Amino acid sequence: MKLFVFHTPELTPPNRVPDCAIAIDVLRATSTIATALANGAEAVQVFSDMAQLMQVSDQWQPDRRLRAGERGGATVEGCDLGNSPLDCTPERVHDRRLFISTTNGTRCLERVRDASTVLTAALINRQAVVNYLLDKQPETVWLVGSGWEGAFALEDTVCAGAIAHHLNSHQDTEMIGNDELIGAIALFTQWQGRLLELLQQASHGKRLLRLNAHDDLKYCSQLDALTVLPIQQEPGVLKKH
């Protein structure tokens, strides 16, 4: 198994897909996806385009759907939710499909949707991702950060490092595919005991703090809080593995 880290979807090799692609958007899309599925959502369907989200979700009964839209950290007008995992309570999401479009995370999922296996990872479900990789042993794995509008995001890289660091402790074989993976592991090793502090220092973390989302940062900084593994069942549709 060879692991590769790409800091943004735009940095992935063109015209290629891996055996397993893992989309990461710690703040907050992949944290929200994992939480919604853990709390009983029927599925999460992702869109990069809000107009398409509205069109597709219109075909569902209002009591069977939730629309989650976020741009620049704020809720999109006309949506039931923004992009806070704390809004995805069992009472709200149970047996409903979450239709979601966010600034960065859903664009990342769109880039890798043609891989044989597509997972989503956040710090809160790191262990579930590692367990899957140890069990399935895919030959090539891409850990793709969502970044922020095409730029590097600290929180996504530390999550990639958390996955690789934990995997490395269970694997005897060489798994380093690129230099970015080494950097991600080093970042996690340095900050693993201070993940909330790291998220607070990250540029997007500061952006969310200005929106009074401190509780979101606390929640998203937890390691291995959930056992759920979101996996793509059909293009753009994620369910519990």
Side-chain angles (χ1 to χ4, degrees), residues 42 45 56-62 64-65 97 99:
E42 176 266 335
Q45 190 161 350
V56 173
S57 61
D58 265 342
Q59 299 164 24
W60 284 64
Q61 294 290 335
R64 297 299 311 282
R65 73 177 186 226
R97 177 166 293 206
F99 296 86

Side-chain angles (χ1 to χ4, degrees), residues 36-171:
L37 292 175
N39 286 338
E42 176 266 335
V44 178
Q45 190 161 350
V46 300
F47 299 84
S48 57
D49 180 69
M50 276 304 306
Q52 189 185 17
L53 181 154
M54 292 296 186
Q55 183 182 4
V56 173
S57 61
D58 265 342
Q59 299 164 24
W60 284 64
Q61 294 290 335
D63 63 345
R64 297 299 311 282
R65 73 177 186 226
L66 280 170
R67 291 165 167 164
E70 172 266 322
R71 290 294 182 271
T75 303
V76 173
E77 189 176 346
C79 288
D80 306 295
L81 309 170
N83 187 22
S84 171
L86 299 179
D87 288 340
C88 295
T89 60
E91 298 77 20
R92 202 163 198 179
V93 303
H94 185 70
D95 279 345
R96 289 182 164 193
R97 177 166 293 206
L98 186 69
F99 296 86
I100 187 169
S101 179
T102 71
T103 306
N104 303 294
T106 49
R107 195 182 75 255
C108 178
L109 276 160
E110 196 166 74
R111 166 62 187 94
V112 299
R113 70 196 308 170
D114 293 330
S116 303
T117 301
V118 177
L119 312 173
T120 67
L123 292 168
I124 56 174
N125 72 326
R126 187 266 312 250
Q127 183 69 58
V129 174
V130 170
N131 290 345
Y132 180 91
L133 295 175
L134 288 171
D135 179 44
K136 301 298 184 183
Q137 293 287 321
E139 192 171 329
T140 56
V141 179
W142 288 4
L143 296 156
V144 185
S146 297
W148 175 262
E149 296 182 345
F152 171 89
L154 206 56
E155 66 276 5
D156 295 342
T157 302
V158 83
C159 181
I163 293 166
H165 180 271
H166 200 35
L167 204 56
N168 201 29
S169 65
H170 293 85
Q171 291 269 113

